[in-house]
Amino acid sequence: MSASRVAALSAFVEGAPPGELGEVIADVKALTTDDAGLIRSLGPAFQRYNEEQFTSTKLPGGSQQVLVSSHNALGDGRYYDPESLKSFAFDHIDQTASAPQSYVPESKHTDMVKSLLKAVGVHANEHFPDAAYGVYPTEEDSSIAIVVVSNKYSPQNYWNGRWRSLYILDPSSGSVTGSIKVDVHYYEDGNVRLLTTKPVSTVLSSSPASASEVIRLLASTEKKYQEELNRAFASLSEGAFKGLRRQLPVSRQKIAWEKIATYRLGKDIGGGWSR
């Protein structure tokens, strides 16, 4: 297969909306039925997607979600979970874990990682539905990566969404950098996708940092960002969205803009109209 074709198809894989990688794979297969080795050739794209999206899975016989990311990668397709202290193989195409083994990471930040794991678990379960999280020493062991992902899928209502938080903590200086990313896909009678990124850069008030102070900072940062998103949605409803609409939609009925927040994007705004 040509490099340009692999690059084009890899872009489809890496751009898959939350919870829709299986559909993207099916579409790619349907479009390229002449190439039996196509999916194998896209292996690196699947790996980049899963690591970037913080894909969650369960270990064989396990009940808790574990993460796949570049921060807990061991190489050769294996990753580790700091809570169960196990490593596992991960199939990037099927998104399944296998072959768990005992694994204890070595780090000078072991005590801090344990404290943060407990605190992040409480935070994630309190504020996010179906959350998965992990706390990992960075490769050079100078910092600690805190990862939180929450997925909410509702294909029967034509939408899927994902929240991702990544924070890199330097315990010695108290600096925290990272980002919050939100990805929502809505596809009822249309195709609308929200992709946002909020950079994070701050310094804790005390050094060395404590787990409780780190979690207070994370909770405050995420709450402020959620409030920013709410204000942005309200502004879009009253401004940009209203300006984009024609005076009368194809249904020939005026839109009640004061009720715009309660509409379902495709069906209700169109008054139930369909071609």
Side-chain angles (χ1 to χ4, degrees):
M1 182 184 297
S2 67
S4 61
R5 191 179 183 193
V6 170
L9 294 174
S10 294
F12 280 119
V13 170
E14 294 180 59
E20 299 173 44
L21 183 61
E23 286 78 1
V24 171
I25 294 174
D27 290 343
V28 168
K29 287 181 177 179
L31 292 170
T32 56
T33 53
D34 60 323
D35 195 335
L38 168 68
I39 299 301
R40 288 194 302 274
S41 69
L42 297 177
F46 286 109
Q47 179 174 343
R48 288 191 295 270
Y49 175 85
N50 287 315
E51 291 185 349
E52 173 66 22
Q53 295 295 321
F54 305 151
T55 295
S56 58
T57 186
K58 291 182 180 180
L59 298 181
S63 58
Q64 186 165 326
Q65 298 280 348
V66 298
L67 291 181
V68 171
S69 76
S70 61
H71 304 285
N72 62 324
L74 298 175
D76 296 324
R78 295 191 67 86
Y79 301 82
Y80 77 92
D81 173 47
E83 235 175 353
S84 63
L85 295 178
K86 291 182 178 180
S87 70
F88 55 94
F90 185 75
D91 187 315
H92 287 284
I93 298 174
D94 296 334
Q95 295 186 312
T96 56
S98 62
Q101 300 175 0
S102 295
Y103 179 81
V104 180
E106 296 182 0
S107 171
K108 63 184 178 183
H109 301 302
T110 297
D111 291 341
M112 185 61 170
V113 168
K114 290 181 179 178
S115 297
L116 283 170
L117 263 176
K118 183 177 181 179
V120 170
V122 173
H123 166 75
N125 292 325
E126 180 180 350
H127 294 282
F128 296 99
D130 194 26
Y133 57 89
V135 180
Y136 318 100
T138 57
E139 187 175 356
E140 65 281 2
D141 204 24
S142 61
S143 303
I144 299 173
I146 303 169
V147 180
V148 178
V149 61
S150 178
N151 301 302
K152 196 166 181 65
Y153 305 145
S154 187
Q156 70 275 17
N157 293 312
Y158 307 101
W159 64 265
N160 297 300
R162 175 173 294 142
W163 172 291
R164 287 172 288 160
S165 299
L166 169 63
Y167 306 98
I168 304 298
L169 165 69
D170 184 336
S172 60
S173 67
S175 68
V176 179
T177 58
S179 63
I180 301 171
K181 296 182 179 181
V182 176
D183 185 350
V184 180
H185 184 213
Y186 188 101
Y187 48 97
E188 182 189 17
D189 293 341
N191 193 358
V192 179
R193 189 171 182 183
L194 168 74
L195 290 165
T196 71
T197 300
K198 172 71 172 180
V200 176
S201 182
T202 188
V203 178
L204 298 169
S205 59
S206 63
S207 182
S210 66
S212 58
E213 185 180 2
V214 172
I215 296 307
R216 282 196 297 270
L217 173 66
L218 269 55
S220 174
T221 300
E222 292 172 350
K223 180 181 178 181
K224 288 179 181 178
Y225 187 46
Q226 288 177 324
E227 292 172 347
E228 287 178 17
L229 289 176
N230 289 338
R231 288 193 295 269
F233 292 147
S235 177
L236 283 172
S237 296
E238 294 300 321
F241 282 163
K242 186 174 181 179
L244 286 171
R245 295 295 300 188
R246 67 186 82 184
Q247 187 172 3
L248 285 177
V250 290
S251 64
R252 309 304 297 171
Q253 298 176 8
K254 289 186 176 181
I255 295 174
W257 290 105
E258 68 277 6
K259 299 179 180 179
I260 192 67
T262 64
Y263 282 132
R264 288 175 298 171
L265 188 60
K267 186 176 180 181
D268 287 352
I269 290 180
W273 178 89
S274 61
R275 294 184 185 277

